[in-house]
Amino acid sequence: QVQLMESGGGLVQPGGSLRLSCVASVSAFSISDMGWYRQAPGKQRELVARIFGNGFTHYADFVKGRFTISRDNAKNTVYLQMNSLKPEDTAVYYCRLRGAGEFANTATDYWGQGTQVTVSS
């Protein structure tokens, strides 16, 4: 079973920064599609940022220019650097790995347990 472990969440004031980390127990991490999602109370989980095995990245509009996703394949780790944090960024942040599904040409998403990010004065 794929295991993902997030860390780095916490309480920060508006305008502050945090760096989230996610370590994956996957030998083929370097080619894995990795993403960060978040879920605020009463809301659906939403994509924050995504980084593909080829290094291409995608960001939700609401974090462009503020967040940066990166990966260290030697450490099987994906990071989310969050700057200029806003109260509306408050949520549980989840790491997601997209791997091969049970059947050919299908995919399966694996999720970490999440790390709480609270932006408040």
Side-chain angles (χ1 to χ4, degrees):
Q1 180 65 44
V2 173
Q3 294 184 344
L4 304 172
M5 184 176 68
E6 302 103 328
S7 62
L11 175 64
V12 65
Q13 293 185 331
S17 298
L18 286 173
R19 189 180 76 159
L20 307 183
S21 300
C22 172
V23 180
S25 61
V26 181
S27 61
F29 176 83
S30 64
I31 62 172
S32 297
D33 173 351
M34 300 293 298
W36 285 99
Y37 291 71
R38 71 187 188 187
Q39 187 168 21
K43 297 184 179 180
Q44 290 187 302
R45 191 170 299 184
E46 62 183 353
L47 173 68
V48 175
R50 191 173 180 179
I51 185 166
F52 299 91
N54 59 13
F56 292 170
T57 57
H58 171 77
Y59 297 92
D61 287 341
F62 55 82
V63 303
K64 286 183 177 178
R66 299 191 297 126
F67 293 7
T68 303
I69 188 170
S70 62
R71 64 197 300 160
D72 185 339
N73 291 333
K75 297 181 178 180
N76 281 12
T77 302
V78 62
Y79 303 96
L80 184 68
Q81 178 66 47
M82 305 186 295
N83 300 323
S84 302
L85 284 162
K86 306 174 181 179
E88 49 263 49
D89 294 319
T90 296
V92 177
Y93 284 71
Y94 296 91
C95 179
R96 188 271 295 153
L97 181 151
R98 177 156 289 179
E102 182 177 358
F103 302 99
N105 300 316
T106 64
T108 298
D109 288 341
Y110 300 91
W111 298 90
Q113 294 300 305
T115 184
Q116 177 70 48
V117 172
T118 303
V119 184
S120 176
S121 60

